[in-house]
Amino acid sequence: MADVPVQQAAGSTLPLVITRKKGGGDSDDGNYNPFEHRKVEHPTSDLETFVHLLKGSLGSGILAMPMAFSHAGLWFGLVATFAVGTLCTYCVHVLVKCAHILCRRRKIPMMGFADVAEQAFLDGPPALNRWSRFIRFMVNSFLVLDLLGCCCIYLVFVATNVEQVVSVYLETVLSVRVWIMIVTVPLIFMCLVRNLKFLTPFSMIANILMFVGIVITFIYMFTDLPAPAERPGLVAVSEWPLFFGTVIFALEGIGVVMSLENDMRNPTHFIGCPSVLNFGMGLVIALYTLVGFFGFLKYGPDTQASITLNLPLEDKLAQSVKLMIAIAIFFTFTLQFYVPISILWKGLEHKIRPERQNISEYGLRVALVVLCGGIAVALPNLGPFISLIGAVCLSTLGMIVPATIELAVYHEDPGYGRFNWRLWKNSGLILFGVVGFVAGTYVSIIEFHAEFSGGH
């Protein structure tokens, strides 16, 4: 990749410089600038990267923010959303900073998320070296689980909104589970498209519909707002895990940041102060907080898993919003599906004979869409589903893994700083991620159990 000798270490697939001693700070290999060796066919400007970051972070999660506030309270939700958003943004900074250090050490132009994790373990304490292949596998696995989980949530979201609108006009009401199966069928054929170029028009339509739908939703939210005193400012601690799981799911875009940074014309502008990341995530956090605060203020205890479900059923404009956003999420499914299928197929492709690769890839695509449909049918309650994905996948990828990577990268040189502050800081991040993982998973499972037992 970087025109240097290649050495295999613990199963690593990346080129390593044989003469490179382990460890070393950001100033090591000062004569090697990875950004000068990057060969990107169509590099993106700062503005284009900013737009892509917004697109990658502003998904269906923004519509779940009022529900998140209902599990935190109006004022605690306001403060906690800013805090969690800042923490998620900081962890992205840590990941990208460590990627830059490793690129200089290994003389590699660019790395993906899994590459950074693998190389950090190879560069860290000897006890971590043997786990380098495992951490790469784990990061890719959680990325696949996260994105496929999002696809399942998209199916439930689309089916729930369509069911609400259609039930107004049909005497025979079909259940959400039936609508999930109906929606899954056309998606099977759409996901057989392997070239992203052909999906671009659908992406454009989705962006326009989502924007218009959210603007109209804001109009409903700001109409006849009650006084903030009518809503609880703080709720029971037992409900907080659902809040944190939902917020992390909504805010976390760590799966796309390395791809965005790798494609930039000026990668040094991605992190720092000011930076593309800070501006982008600042705007995202502000929008999510705005929707969550005013959505919960408007609907209070009646807040549903998606704010669109609170819009009046008989109102034609509200019906159009539900359908617009449902269509937008429907088209977004194919784009979200593209990444996990790419990761899985890359791992399977070399194990299949060339003459059977086409049919095998199509079979894998169909099987994964059907799997998503089956999971969505089994778990059609959006609230705990969103919290579960946020707790399991994104607390791991967004907090635990970046903190562990920094501990490995800084282990030997330059070290953990005065009073081992990096060690304490990253230990705190890992602990917070583990608590979020365990508590969010536990509460989400309790919610699912209550639903299936009829007590939800």
Side-chain angles (χ1 to χ4, degrees):
M1 184 187 299
D3 299 323
V4 296
V6 175
Q7 174 187 3
Q8 287 292 326
S12 171
T13 56
L14 288 175
L16 308 180
V17 180
I18 295 175
T19 57
R20 171 70 178 89
K21 72 179 180 65
K22 208 165 69 169
D26 194 13
S27 60
D28 272 19
D29 297 314
N31 293 328
Y32 181 81
N33 185 346
F35 311 133
E36 293 177 354
H37 292 77
R38 290 187 178 180
K39 298 176 182 178
V40 181
E41 188 174 352
H42 299 291
T44 55
S45 66
D46 291 359
L47 179 60
E48 290 170 331
T49 305
F50 176 79
V51 172
H52 286 313
L53 181 63
L54 291 182
K55 182 180 177 183
S57 301
L58 287 173
S60 60
I62 190 172
L63 303 172
M65 285 304 298
M67 179 201 66
F69 270 63
S70 71
H71 294 297
L74 196 64
W75 299 112
F76 177 71
L78 185 68
V79 175
T81 301
F82 273 109
V84 174
T86 303
L87 196 61
C88 290
T89 305
Y90 175 73
C91 288
V92 175
H93 271 274
V94 169
L95 176 66
V96 178
K97 178 69 172 177
C98 289
H100 290 175
I101 293 173
L102 289 169
C103 283
R104 289 188 174 94
R105 288 180 183 176
R106 300 304 191 187
K107 295 188 177 179
I108 299 172
M110 63 180 71
M111 295 186 186
F113 194 171
D115 300 329
V116 175
E118 180 184 28
Q119 290 300 308
F121 271 48
L122 287 172
D123 215 48
L128 291 181
N129 296 167
R130 70 184 67 179
W131 297 99
S132 59
R133 293 184 69 186
F134 172 78
I135 191 67
R136 181 185 185 89
F137 170 79
M138 193 189 79
V139 168
N140 279 329
S141 298
F142 274 102
L143 280 173
V144 170
L145 286 175
D146 168 36
L147 295 169
L148 288 181
C150 289
C151 288
C152 298
I153 291 170
Y154 287 179
L155 280 172
V156 177
F157 179 90
V158 173
T160 305
N161 281 274
V162 171
E163 185 268 337
Q164 272 202 352
V165 174
V166 173
S167 63
V168 176
Y169 299 98
L170 292 182
E171 294 182 3
T172 305
V173 179
L174 300 177
S175 69
V176 172
R177 287 183 165 93
V178 174
W179 278 109
I180 291 173
M181 290 187 282
I182 293 172
V183 170
T184 303
V185 174
L187 282 174
I188 291 175
F189 297 98
M190 289 186 67
C191 288
L192 294 179
V193 178
R194 294 187 289 186
N195 193 331
L196 272 181
K197 179 181 178 181
F198 299 119
L199 298 176
T200 303
F202 297 108
S203 178
M204 181 62 68
I205 294 171
N207 288 338
I208 294 172
L209 291 176
M210 178 66 82
F211 175 77
V212 174
I214 289 178
V215 169
I216 298 175
T217 302
F218 268 110
I219 294 173
Y220 279 100
M221 282 197 304
F222 286 119
T223 303
D224 298 325
L225 277 174
E230 297 182 27
R231 304 291 179 237
L234 182 68
V235 302
V237 177
S238 59
E239 293 192 49
W240 291 4
L242 283 174
F243 165 79
F244 283 109
T246 305
V247 171
I248 291 173
F249 168 83
L251 285 172
E252 195 57 75
I254 200 161
V256 301
V257 293
M258 290 311 303
S259 299
L260 295 179
E261 189 270 346
N262 286 337
D263 284 341
M264 286 187 70
R265 182 179 294 114
N266 298 303
T268 53
H269 294 177
F270 190 73
I271 58 173
C273 188
S275 65
V276 173
L277 178 64
N278 286 346
F279 278 119
M281 290 305 296
L283 181 57
V284 167
I285 294 168
L287 285 173
Y288 275 50
T289 305
L290 194 67
V291 173
F293 184 88
F294 288 103
F296 180 55
L297 178 62
K298 170 71 174 178
Y299 297 107
D302 298 324
T303 302
Q304 297 198 44
S306 169
I307 190 65
T308 56
L309 302 178
N310 282 106
L311 303 183
L313 281 175
E314 296 77 16
D315 194 320
K316 301 291 186 183
L317 184 60
Q319 292 173 10
S320 70
V321 171
K322 294 174 191 283
L323 291 178
M324 278 191 291
I325 296 182
I327 294 170
I329 297 298
F330 178 86
F331 287 149
T332 306
F333 182 100
T334 55
L335 298 172
Q336 195 83 356
F337 185 80
Y338 184 84
V339 177
I341 193 67
S342 299
I343 294 174
L344 290 173
W345 181 244
K346 188 176 180 180
L348 295 173
E349 186 177 10
H350 66 280
K351 299 179 181 179
I352 300 172
R353 296 197 306 271
E355 63 272 15
R356 295 189 59 83
Q357 285 187 356
N358 275 338
I359 188 67
S360 298
E361 183 180 356
Y362 285 130
L364 178 63
R365 288 171 175 271
V366 171
L368 283 180
V369 177
V370 172
L371 175 65
C372 290
I375 295 173
V377 167
L379 306 171
N381 186 358
L382 268 175
F385 202 165
I386 289 174
S387 179
L388 181 64
I389 295 298
V392 172
C393 297
L394 296 173
S395 63
T396 304
L397 293 176
M399 295 182 187
I400 298 174
V401 173
T404 306
I405 287 174
E406 187 177 45
L407 286 176
V409 170
Y410 282 80
H411 165 69
E412 187 172 306
D413 183 15
Y416 295 147
R418 193 174 186 181
F419 305 118
N420 287 328
W421 69 271
R422 285 192 182 93
L423 176 63
W424 294 110
K425 175 204 68 173
N426 287 306
S427 298
L429 285 175
I430 292 171
L431 179 63
F432 184 82
V434 170
V435 171
F437 182 105
V438 174
T441 302
Y442 174 76
V443 173
S444 299
I445 291 173
I446 293 298
E447 289 273 305
F448 282 128
H449 180 266
E451 179 184 359
F452 284 115
S453 62
H456 183 73

